[in-house]
Amino acid sequence: MKKLLIALSLTAIIAGCSSSDGGNDNNSGTYDRAALMTSWADNIIIPSFENYQAKLNALNTAATAFTAAPATQTLTDVRAAWLDAYKAFQHVGIFDDPKAFELHLIEGSNTYPTDVTGINNNISSGSYNLAQPVNYTKEGFPALDYLLYGTGTDDTAIIAYFNGNAKAKTYLTALTAHLKSVADAILTEWKGSYRATFVAGTGTAVSAPINQTVNNFIKNLEKDVRTPKLGIPAGLFSNGTTFPDKVEAYYNKNVSKALYVEAVTASRDFFTGKYFGSATNGPSLKGYLDAVNAKRSGQNLSDIITAQYATALTASDALNNNFTTQITTDNAKMVSAYDALQQVVIYEKVDMLQALNISIDYVDGDGD
């Protein structure tokens, strides 16, 4: 009954938002959904996971080298590998497919702020199961952020920390190995039987892969990008009380903007059907909207969404590389960036889903 009420509420919200914004004037149309799913699998999703796996292999190797011989160069190497893998994650976090969901790819890789006390307890006890939900805030890229940048006042102190703490070395490599094992399992599934299941999943049921993929795509932008990267630290969900210590990559202090831009770019590229690592564009949600003649106030909805992505990225140009610094010096720019991205969420979650006749399958509790 609860799910039914939520679904009815969401339907009412969608209808209400559409009518109040001038409405859509959509005609029926057709689109080759099989070609769309095939291109998503072969040109975007699998290549994104292949890239992610390669970056995690490099990270795991660098972490092993660092823990074998903590020094300035090995610390520099593992930090660089961490950032490369963290950026690659922004691309695969969109695709919460069944295996990724089963292995908690998103929660186990990027839940922040990280739990420093919990990490230190895990290190001290030497007893932890990184597959368990209780460790989501003690693992993944945020935990590595703390270990590689926050365990000392400078690089000399961080190197000394690891040289004097064998259990910390073990924990660091356990974190990178766990990230790698999850990515390996997901990619194996895609290259096994799941690709065929996915490509054939063009049905209209809520549980159909095409609907799940679109829902995960929007959920990622709303719940994994907009809310944690901008909204929560900037005080949008706490009546203006800001949390500069809750930004992504808090201990690095210099890449929270880079990770945000990477995530928004990945979202835009999926919308436009841009192949991963290529300038080629294929079948896409943008093309699907054009095929059904989706309009908003007389304009192509696809063009409106594409333009709003550009507006959101332009707004991020004004931000400091360090979101902690941005929030404490000029939080208004964080709010402006949030507002620009929020408009993308509205266009996709309300207008796009209505135009494509796709039902939303996740609970939204913050009023969108």
Side-chain angles (χ1 to χ4, degrees), residues 67-291:
T67 53
T72 300
Q73 187 58 57
T74 52
L75 178 61
T76 299
D77 292 344
V78 71
R79 283 172 169 176
W82 166 82
L83 182 56
D84 284 347
Y86 212 167
K87 287 181 177 178
F89 170 78
Q90 309 301 324
H91 291 261
V92 300
I94 294 171
F95 312 116
D96 199 17
D97 57 66
K99 179 58 73 172
F101 181 80
E102 173 191 335
L103 298 177
H104 308 291
L105 167 71
I106 296 170
E107 298 89 344
S109 301
N110 200 27
T111 297
Y112 55 92
T114 199
D115 179 359
V116 170
T117 299
I119 291 171
N120 290 330
N121 288 339
N122 279 351
I123 291 173
S124 297
S125 69
S127 178
Y128 40 81
N129 182 349
L130 297 177
Q132 294 298 316
V134 70
N135 280 313
Y136 290 162
T137 58
K138 307 163 192 169
E139 61 180 316
F141 294 103
L144 290 167
D145 176 41
Y146 163 68
L147 290 173
L148 297 175
Y149 292 93
T151 48
T153 55
D154 56 25
D155 290 358
T156 298
I158 292 170
I159 291 168
Y161 168 80
F162 279 97
N163 270 319
N165 193 335
K167 289 183 177 179
K169 293 179 182 179
T170 299
Y171 197 68
L172 177 61
T173 53
L175 294 182
T176 60
H178 184 67
L179 286 168
K180 173 176 156 38
S181 70
V182 170
D184 288 347
I186 295 169
L187 191 55
T188 296
E189 189 80 357
W190 272 102
K191 290 187 172 181
S193 61
Y194 185 65
R195 180 198 171 278
T197 301
F198 180 83
V199 169
T202 59
T204 57
V206 172
S207 59
I210 189 170
N211 287 359
Q212 291 180 337
T213 302
V214 175
N215 267 277
N216 289 336
F217 159 68
I218 297 174
K219 183 180 178 183
N220 167 261
L221 188 65
E222 178 183 1
K223 301 296 185 184
D224 302 327
V225 179
R226 182 207 66 169
T227 297
K229 295 178 192 290
L230 299 177
I232 291 175
L236 273 300
F237 299 93
S238 51
N239 294 321
T241 300
T242 60
F243 297 97
D245 58 337
K246 292 186 177 181
V247 304
E248 193 174 25
Y250 171 72
Y251 294 96
N252 172 283
K253 300 187 183 304
N254 201 41
V255 299
S256 40
K257 174 182 171 181
L259 295 171
Y260 169 73
V261 170
E262 194 80 25
V264 176
T265 300
S267 180
R268 180 203 62 190
D269 289 352
F270 182 77
F271 174 75
T272 60
K274 183 176 178 293
Y275 295 180
F276 182 81
S278 167
T280 301
N281 285 69
S284 64
L285 289 170
K286 182 176 186 295
Y288 197 172
L289 287 172
D290 290 339

